[in-house]
Coordinates of all heavy atoms in Angstrom, one line a residue:
S19 N 150.9 56.7 120.5 CA 150.1 57.7 121.2 C 148.8 57.1 121.5 O 148.0 56.7 120.6 CB 150.0 59.0 120.4 OG 149.0 59.8 121.0
V20 N 148.4 56.9 122.8 CA 147.2 56.4 123.2 C 146.4 57.5 124.0 O 147.0 58.0 125.0 CB 147.3 55.1 124.1 CG1 146.0 54.5 124.5 CG2 148.2 54.1 123.4
I21 N 145.2 57.8 123.6 CA 144.5 58.9 124.2 C 143.0 58.4 124.5 O 142.5 57.5 123.9 CB 144.5 60.1 123.3 CG1 144.0 59.8 121.9 CG2 145.8 60.8 123.3 CD1 143.9 61.0 121.0
V22 N 142.5 59.2 125.5 CA 141.0 59.1 125.8 C 140.4 60.5 125.6 O 141.2 61.4 125.3 CB 140.8 58.6 127.2 CG1 141.3 57.2 127.4 CG2 141.5 59.5 128.3
S23 N 139.1 60.6 125.7 CA 138.5 61.9 125.4 C 139.1 62.9 126.4 O 139.2 62.7 127.6 CB 137.0 61.8 125.6 OG 136.3 63.0 125.3
G24 N 139.5 64.1 125.8 CA 140.0 65.1 126.6 C 141.5 65.0 126.9 O 142.0 65.8 127.7
A25 N 142.2 64.0 126.3 CA 143.6 63.8 126.6 C 144.5 64.1 125.5 O 144.0 64.3 124.3 CB 143.8 62.3 127.0
G26 N 145.8 64.2 125.8 CA 146.8 64.4 124.7 C 148.0 63.6 125.0 O 148.4 63.3 126.2
A27 N 148.7 63.2 124.0 CA 150.0 62.5 124.1 C 150.8 62.7 122.8 O 150.5 62.2 121.8 CB 149.8 61.0 124.3
V28 N 151.8 63.7 122.9 CA 152.5 64.1 121.7 C 154.0 64.3 121.9 O 154.4 64.4 123.1 CB 151.9 65.5 121.2 CG1 150.4 65.4 120.9 CG2 152.3 66.6 122.1
A29 N 154.7 64.3 120.8 CA 156.1 64.7 120.8 C 156.2 65.9 120.0 O 155.4 66.1 119.0 CB 157.0 63.5 120.2
E30 N 157.2 66.8 120.3 CA 157.3 68.0 119.5 C 158.8 68.4 119.3 O 159.7 68.0 120.1 CB 156.6 69.1 120.2 CG 157.3 69.6 121.5 CD 156.6 70.9 122.0 OE1 155.4 71.1 121.7 OE2 157.3 71.6 122.8
R31 N 159.0 69.2 118.3 CA 160.2 70.0 118.0 C 159.8 71.5 118.1 O 158.7 71.8 117.6 CB 160.8 69.7 116.7 CG 161.3 68.2 116.6 CD 162.5 68.0 117.4 NE 163.7 68.6 116.8 CZ 164.9 68.7 117.5 NH1 165.0 68.2 118.7 NH2 165.9 69.3 116.9
A32 N 160.6 72.3 118.7 CA 160.2 73.7 118.9 C 161.4 74.6 118.9 O 162.6 74.2 119.2 CB 159.5 73.8 120.2
G33 N 161.2 75.9 118.6 CA 162.2 76.9 118.6 C 162.2 77.7 117.3 O 161.2 77.9 116.6
L34 N 163.4 78.1 116.9 CA 163.6 78.8 115.6 C 163.8 77.7 114.5 O 164.9 77.6 114.0 CB 164.8 79.7 115.7 CG 164.6 80.9 116.7 CD1 165.8 81.8 116.7 CD2 163.4 81.8 116.2
L35 N 162.8 77.0 114.2 CA 162.8 76.1 113.1 C 162.7 76.8 111.8 O 162.5 78.0 111.8 CB 161.6 75.1 113.3 CG 161.5 74.4 114.6 CD1 160.3 73.4 114.7 CD2 162.8 73.6 114.9
P36 N 162.9 76.2 110.7 CA 163.0 77.0 109.4 C 161.7 77.7 109.1 O 160.6 77.2 109.2 CB 163.3 75.9 108.4 CG 162.9 74.6 109.0 CD 163.1 74.8 110.5
V37 N 161.9 79.0 108.8 CA 160.8 79.8 108.4 C 160.1 79.3 107.2 O 158.9 79.3 107.0 CB 161.2 81.3 108.2 CG1 160.1 82.1 107.7 CG2 161.7 81.9 109.5
N38 N 160.9 78.8 106.2 CA 160.4 78.0 105.1 C 160.8 76.6 105.2 O 162.0 76.3 104.9 CB 160.9 78.6 103.8 CG 160.4 80.0 103.5 OD1 159.3 80.2 103.1 ND2 161.3 81.0 103.8
G39 N 159.9 75.7 105.7 CA 160.4 74.4 106.0 C 159.3 73.4 105.7 O 158.1 73.7 105.6
Y40 N 159.7 72.1 105.6 CA 158.8 71.0 105.4 C 158.8 70.1 106.6 O 159.9 69.8 107.1 CB 159.2 70.2 104.1 CG 159.1 70.9 102.8 CD1 160.0 71.8 102.4 CD2 157.9 70.8 102.0 CE1 159.9 72.6 101.2 CE2 157.8 71.4 100.9 CZ 158.7 72.3 100.5 OH 158.6 73.1 99.3
Y41 N 157.7 69.7 107.0 CA 157.5 68.9 108.2 C 156.7 67.6 107.8 O 155.6 67.7 107.3 CB 156.7 69.7 109.3 CG 157.4 70.9 109.7 CD1 157.4 72.1 108.9 CD2 158.1 71.0 110.9 CE1 158.1 73.2 109.2 CE2 158.8 72.1 111.2 CZ 158.8 73.3 110.4 OH 159.5 74.4 110.8
S42 N 157.4 66.5 108.1 CA 156.8 65.2 107.5 C 156.8 64.1 108.6 O 157.8 64.1 109.4 CB 157.7 64.7 106.4 OG 157.4 63.4 106.0
A43 N 155.8 63.3 108.7 CA 155.7 62.2 109.6 C 154.8 61.1 108.9 O 153.9 61.4 108.2 CB 155.2 62.6 110.9
W44 N 155.1 59.9 109.3 CA 154.3 58.7 108.8 C 153.4 58.2 109.9 O 153.9 58.2 111.1 CB 155.2 57.6 108.3 CG 155.9 57.9 107.0 CD1 157.0 58.7 106.8 CD2 155.4 57.5 105.7 NE1 157.2 58.8 105.4 CE2 156.3 58.1 104.7 CE3 154.4 56.7 105.3 CZ2 156.1 57.8 103.4 CZ3 154.2 56.5 103.9 CH2 155.1 57.0 103.0
Y45 N 152.2 57.9 109.6 CA 151.2 57.5 110.6 C 150.6 56.1 110.3 O 150.5 55.7 109.1 CB 150.0 58.5 110.6 CG 150.4 59.9 111.1 CD1 151.1 60.8 110.4 CD2 150.0 60.2 112.4 CE1 151.5 62.0 110.9 CE2 150.4 61.4 113.0 CZ 151.1 62.3 112.2 OH 151.4 63.5 112.7
Y46 N 150.2 55.4 111.3 CA 149.5 54.2 111.2 C 148.3 54.2 112.2 O 148.5 54.4 113.4 CB 150.4 53.0 111.6 CG 149.8 51.6 111.3 CD1 150.1 50.9 110.2 CD2 149.0 51.0 112.3 CE1 149.5 49.7 110.0 CE2 148.5 49.8 112.1 CZ 148.7 49.1 110.9 OH 148.2 47.9 110.7
V47 N 147.1 54.2 111.7 CA 145.9 54.2 112.5 C 145.3 52.8 112.4 O 144.8 52.4 111.4 CB 144.9 55.2 112.0 CG1 143.6 55.2 112.8 CG2 145.5 56.6 111.9
P48 N 145.3 52.0 113.5 CA 144.9 50.6 113.5 C 143.4 50.4 113.2 O 143.0 49.4 112.6 CB 145.3 50.1 114.9 CG 146.3 51.0 115.4 CD 145.9 52.4 114.8
A49 N 142.6 51.4 113.7 CA 141.1 51.2 113.6 C 140.4 52.5 113.5 O 140.9 53.5 113.9 CB 140.6 50.4 114.8
V50 N 139.2 52.4 112.8 CA 138.4 53.6 112.7 C 137.8 54.0 114.0 O 137.4 53.2 114.8 CB 137.2 53.3 111.7 CG1 136.2 54.5 111.6 CG2 137.8 53.0 110.3
V51 N 137.8 55.3 114.2 CA 137.0 55.9 115.3 C 135.7 56.3 114.8 O 135.6 57.1 113.8 CB 137.8 57.1 116.0 CG1 136.9 57.8 116.9 CG2 139.0 56.6 116.7
T52 N 134.6 55.9 115.4 CA 133.3 56.0 114.8 C 132.7 57.4 114.9 O 131.9 57.9 114.1 CB 132.3 55.0 115.3 OG1 132.2 55.1 116.7 CG2 132.7 53.6 115.0
A53 N 133.1 58.1 116.0 CA 132.6 59.5 116.2 C 133.5 60.3 117.1 O 134.0 59.8 118.1 CB 131.2 59.5 116.8
T54 N 133.8 61.5 116.7 CA 134.7 62.4 117.5 C 134.5 63.8 117.0 O 134.2 64.1 115.9 CB 136.2 62.0 117.3 OG1 137.0 62.8 118.1 CG2 136.6 62.1 115.8
Q55 N 134.6 64.7 118.0 CA 134.7 66.1 117.7 C 136.0 66.4 116.9 O 135.9 67.1 115.8 CB 134.6 67.0 118.9 CG 133.3 66.9 119.7 CD 133.3 67.8 120.9 OE1 134.2 68.6 121.1 NE2 132.3 67.6 121.8
Y56 N 137.1 65.9 117.4 CA 138.3 66.0 116.6 C 139.3 65.0 117.2 O 139.3 64.8 118.5 CB 138.9 67.4 116.5 CG 139.3 68.0 117.9 CD1 140.5 67.7 118.5 CD2 138.4 68.8 118.5 CE1 140.8 68.3 119.7 CE2 138.7 69.4 119.8 CZ 139.9 69.1 120.3 OH 140.2 69.7 121.6
W57 N 140.1 64.4 116.4 CA 141.3 63.6 116.9 C 142.5 64.2 116.2 O 142.8 64.0 115.0 CB 141.1 62.2 116.5 CG 142.2 61.2 116.9 CD1 143.3 61.5 117.7 CD2 142.3 59.8 116.6 NE1 144.0 60.4 117.9 CE2 143.4 59.3 117.2 CE3 141.5 59.0 115.8 CZ2 143.8 58.0 117.0 CZ3 141.9 57.7 115.6 CH2 143.1 57.2 116.3
L58 N 143.1 65.1 116.9 CA 144.3 65.9 116.3 C 145.5 65.0 116.2 O 145.8 64.2 117.1 CB 144.6 67.1 117.3 CG 145.6 68.1 116.8 CD1 145.3 69.4 117.5 CD2 147.0 67.6 117.3
C59 N 146.2 65.1 115.1 CA 147.4 64.2 114.8 C 148.6 65.0 114.5 O 149.7 64.4 114.6 CB 147.1 63.2 113.7 SG 146.7 63.9 112.1

């Protein structure tokens, strides 16, 4: 996922997913972002 300010790039699963469920993903962040309002992951 490559983004610039105000952008989004995501994959999703949606629908009647388990009401009691676990959601897991592994992340690799190559470099520190020095300042941001938020970087949603």
Side-chain angles (χ1 to χ4, degrees):
S19 171
V20 183
I21 51 176
V22 297
S23 185
V28 305
E30 73 171 23
R31 295 289 289 172
L34 292 178
L35 304 182
V37 173
N38 293 281
Y40 292 83
Y41 299 78
S42 170
W44 286 82
Y45 289 79
Y46 187 97
V47 179
V50 172
V51 169
T52 56
T54 183
Q55 292 180 13
Y56 60 86
W57 182 7
L58 185 153
C59 61

